[in-house]
């Protein structure tokens, strides 16, 4: 089970932590090694209300979906970040309350567009046997960025540097030569890119302009180091196996056999070893994890499992299981939404050209949005109070506040969106009738086939889709829309989205940094770029479809917001991003859904004990700072831990 230990932290709190905790000038951030309680290493001592640590121990887990890569310099998939999150450290990290603290960097300062970081001396790279290889130096950060900015390595996050690090985009595009629009670029030397090893322990970043969120972005995988000589030796084969990468984090990957097991072993040379309590994390592959894991918990064979809605009532009622059930930590760093695909790449039997005409019609999209009662699919996972997880915006509430202390989703642009429910059967019928007339004039055939896919490894997703199909067809009529629900691949499900093999899909995005710009990344596509391959909105422009002007307007609003970078203009910047997001939703280019449901789980971890952050993903996946308890956490104990945060 992928643990979600996420934050309700506001960016203002992160700014305060940067100023007070690390002595830097200013900025926002999140980061470093920590154990929230700062207890003295190995176990037996009390950790709060009725909890005692089990001392050093091994955590036993199941997993059901194999990663497609270990290469943290390439991936943008959350599921593929768990191993690097635990084996590679970042310059900064967060404590268990979201405060920024030092990690590989002990201090930093800012002078205009130049950020300087002093590295911790004596940090070691080790191999998959735990043997020392070399010392971590500033050059390792430089080499890691160069690798990501080398097009042949196909780093999914390379564009994260564009417009942030001076000349990063120019260097990358100079190697590419030209973009999809036919624009050509002259090559430049990497020495012109704004990253530099001043000396062994001094790292310098020069920004392309003012970047309000720069410090908070350093907890993400893009700014992780890699041992330069190994990158040069391995090239594209870097991190394809446990023995083709080196480690500098709390753990190292001692065993890795795809679809068999993954073993993380505590790093014997780790600089902050006193706050790494779990000695080994043994993860065994089983495609039937959702069904088998709860039974294995009852037998004492594993230490964590999701407790699905289909068995939750029985577990809560059972004398032997009721005290085994707790919940995941509430999160606001991941947002879920439904994407319409503007560039369908699915089989002819699903009529992709017919779908393309339909999806470019705004009345059709509005009809689908108005026919979708989000409470019903959300109730599949949270039957008791689904409304607490539904949101009307892409950016979650409490993610950040503007300079005046106003929550971003309470800004004026969102006034009508936040205060109303998009579900409206009367409006849906009106949109449907208008769409039918307009689409019939374009020779669209009815019912329009809408291919919806789900990941068979994700509990209850199939049930959500079934509810969605029944509901939308029930409101709009089976003669207008035919929702076709299919299981996607059990391995590498992300290919469904990335290849456009769907018509309508529940997607998610995790915040990479503490600024509203991060929530535009799934949808905005710069000219000549396919972006992060979500809805493929730019296709409407390139093919001059009916939605072209709408997409152009949205992209223009995003670009205008991005151009506002001065600290003194924070309110103006936030207002501009809110205007862009409101426009995206108002025109049904995307349908907001909700935040992550705090799933019911059985676990021997206090989910509030480890690192977390409202952005960056990486801190929320780490086991550092966690003790393996000698019992499973009950709901009563969970609620006490929640109150103590």
């Amino acid at each position: 089970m992928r643990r979600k230990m996420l934050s309700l932290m506001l960016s203002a709190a992160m700014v305060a932590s940067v100023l007070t905790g690390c002595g830097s000038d200013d900025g926002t951030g999140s980061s470093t090694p920590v154990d929230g309680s700062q207890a003295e290493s190995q176990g037996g001592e009390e950790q709060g209300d009725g909890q005692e640590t089990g001392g050093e121990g091994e955590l036993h887990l199941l997993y059901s979906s194999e990663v497609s890569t270990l290469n943290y310099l390439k991936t943008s998939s959350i599921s593929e970040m768990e191993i690097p999150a635990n084996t590679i450290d970042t310059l900064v990290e967060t404590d268990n309350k979201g405060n920024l603290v030092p990690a590989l960097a002990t201090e930093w300062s800012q002078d205009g567009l130049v950020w300087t970081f002093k590295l911790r001396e004596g940090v070691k790279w080790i191999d998959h046997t735990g043997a020392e290889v070399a010392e971590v130096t500033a050059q390792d950060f430089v080499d890691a960025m160069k690798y990501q900015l080398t097009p042949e390595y196909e780093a999914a996050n390379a564009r994260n540097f564009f417009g942030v690090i001076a000349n990063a985009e120019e260097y990358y595009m100079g190697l590419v030569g030209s973009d999809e629009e036919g624009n050509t670029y002259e090559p430049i030397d990497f020495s012109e890119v704004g990253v530099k090893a001043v000396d062994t322990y001094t790292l310098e970043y020069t920004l392309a302009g003012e970047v309000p969120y720069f410090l908070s972005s350093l907890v993400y995988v893009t700014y992780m180091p890699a041992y330069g000589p190994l990158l040069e030796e391995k090239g594209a084969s870097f991190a394809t196996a446990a023995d083709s990468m080196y480690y500098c984090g709390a753990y190292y990957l001692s065993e890795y056999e795809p679809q068999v097991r993954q073993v993380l072993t505590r790093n014997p040379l780790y600089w902050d070893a006193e706050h790494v309590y779990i000695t080994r994390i043994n993860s065994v592959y089983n495609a039937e994890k959702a069904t088998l894991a709860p039974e294995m918990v009852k037998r004492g064979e594993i230490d964590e499992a999701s407790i699905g809605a289909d068995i939750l009532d029985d577990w809560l009622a059972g004398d032997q299981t009721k005290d085994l059930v707790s919940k995941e930590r509430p999160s606001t760093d991941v947002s879920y939404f439904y994407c319409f695909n503007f560039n369908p790449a699915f089989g002819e039997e699903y009529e992709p050209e017919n779908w393309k005409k339909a999806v470019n019609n705004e009345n059709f999209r509005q009809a689908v949005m108005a026919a979708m009662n989000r409470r019903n699919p959300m109730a599949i996972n949270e039957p008791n109070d689904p409304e607490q997880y539904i949101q009307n915006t892409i950016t979650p509430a409490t993610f950040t506040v503007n300079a005046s202390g106003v929550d971003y989703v309470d800004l004026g642009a969102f006034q009508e969106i936040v205060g109303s429910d998009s579900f409206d059967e009367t409006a849906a019928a009106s949109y449907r009738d208008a769409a039918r007339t307009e689409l019939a004039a374009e020779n669209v055939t009815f019912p329009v086939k809408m291919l919806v896919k789900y990941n068979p490894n994700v509990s209850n997703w199939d049930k959500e889709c079934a509810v969605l199909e029944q509901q939308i067809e029930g409101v709009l009529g089976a003669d207008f829309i035919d929702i076709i629900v299919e299981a996607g691949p059990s391995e590498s499900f992300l290919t469904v989205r990335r290849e456009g093999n769907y018509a309508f899909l529940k997607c998610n995005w995790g915040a990479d940094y503490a600024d509203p710009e991060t929530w535009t990344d799934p949808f905005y596509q710069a000219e000549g770029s396919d972006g992060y391959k979500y809805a493929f909105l730019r296709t409407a422009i390139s093919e001059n479809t009916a939605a072209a002007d709408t997409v152009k307007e949205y992209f223009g609003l995003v670009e205008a917001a991005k151009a506002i970078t001065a600290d003194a203009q924070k309110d103006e910047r936030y207002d501009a991003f809110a205007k862009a997001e409101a426009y995206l939703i108002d025109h049904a280019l995307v349908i907001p859904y909700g935040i992550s449901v705090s799933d019911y789980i059985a676990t021997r971890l206090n989910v509030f004990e480890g690192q977390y952050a409202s952005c960056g993903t990486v801190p929320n996946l780490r086991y550092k700072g966690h003790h393996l308890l000698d019992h499973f956490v009950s709901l009563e104990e969970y609620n006490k831990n929640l109150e103590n945060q």
Side-chain angles (χ1 to χ4, degrees), residues 158-419:
R159 63 180 60 85
N160 282 23
F161 298 123
F162 295 1
V164 176
I165 301 299
N167 290 322
E169 183 173 9
E170 289 78 359
Y171 175 79
Y172 182 92
M173 294 308 300
L175 294 178
V176 173
S178 62
D179 59 28
E180 295 176 358
E181 305 296 324
N183 300 310
T184 58
Y185 299 84
E186 293 297 323
I188 65 172
D189 191 79
F190 186 76
S191 62
E192 298 184 50
V193 177
V195 60
K196 180 181 179 181
V198 178
D199 56 42
T200 303
Y201 304 114
T202 305
L203 175 67
E204 184 178 279
Y205 290 113
T206 301
L207 306 187
E210 291 190 59
V211 181
Y213 54 81
F214 179 66
L215 204 57
S216 68
S217 68
L218 298 180
V219 300
Y220 194 52
V221 289
T222 45
Y223 290 94
M224 284 180 171
Y227 186 53
L230 186 66
L231 287 177
E232 185 175 356
E233 174 191 343
K234 297 292 185 180
S237 64
F238 172 72
T240 53
D243 61 358
S244 62
M245 61 188 293
Y246 294 149
Y247 311 93
C248 65
Y251 297 88
Y252 64 95
L253 186 61
S254 56
E255 294 182 47
Y256 175 67
E257 187 176 353
Q259 296 190 348
V260 177
R261 72 175 63 250
Q262 303 169 356
V263 178
L264 295 175
T265 299
R266 186 167 61 183
N267 182 350
L269 302 179
Y270 189 52
W271 64 271
D272 195 27
E274 65 176 333
H275 295 127
V276 183
Y277 307 112
I278 299 172
T279 56
R280 280 165 61 97
I281 300 157
N282 302 287
S283 299
V284 175
Y285 177 85
N286 195 307
E288 303 302 319
K289 169 191 155 184
T291 302
L292 296 179
E295 293 302 313
M296 293 177 71
V297 160
K298 288 196 290 186
R299 295 196 298 266
E301 296 172 355
I302 60 174
D303 301 310
E304 218 169 55
S306 291
I307 307 302
D310 54 336
I311 63 172
L312 177 61
D313 289 343
D314 290 340
W315 273 58
L316 290 174
D319 289 338
Q320 296 184 0
T321 54
K322 62 182 179 181
D323 291 332
L324 303 182
V325 181
S326 62
K327 300 183 76 174
E328 292 181 330
R329 187 171 191 157
S331 66
T332 59
D333 79 331
V334 176
S335 178
Y336 288 82
F337 42 86
Y338 276 84
C339 278
F340 293 100
N341 181 11
F342 283 74
N343 190 30
F346 42 74
E348 289 298 321
E349 66 270 28
Y350 305 115
E351 301 174 0
E353 292 305 314
N354 200 59
W355 167 257
K356 185 177 287 189
K357 292 178 182 177
V359 77
N360 276 276
N361 180 278
E362 181 166 331
N363 281 316
F364 176 84
R365 300 192 306 273
Q366 295 281 12
V368 173
M369 184 162 70
M372 183 177 168
N373 185 347
R374 296 167 296 171
R375 186 187 188 283
N376 293 339
M378 187 67 77
I380 297 294
N381 291 300
E382 178 47 73
N384 298 318
D385 188 12
E387 286 85 359
Q388 68 173 306
Y389 296 105
I390 294 171
Q391 60 183 31
N392 294 341
T393 55
I394 303 299
T395 304
T398 78
F399 170 72
T400 190
V401 296
N402 69 4
S404 303
V406 178
D407 192 302
Y408 177 73
V409 301
D410 290 332
L411 296 177
F414 293 125
Q415 184 173 357
E416 293 185 9
I417 292 173
V418 172

Side-chain angles (χ1 to χ4, degrees), residues 426-437:
T426 301
S430 178
Y431 286 128
R432 174 201 61 201
D433 294 343
R436 189 191 296 273
T437 299

Side-chain angles (χ1 to χ4, degrees), residues 4-6 96 327-331 598 607-608 612 645:
K4 291 176 268 186
M5 304 180 298
L6 307 172
N96 73 328
K327 300 183 76 174
E328 292 181 330
R329 187 171 191 157
S331 66
S598 295
V607 297
F608 298 98
Y612 72 91
Q645 292 308 297

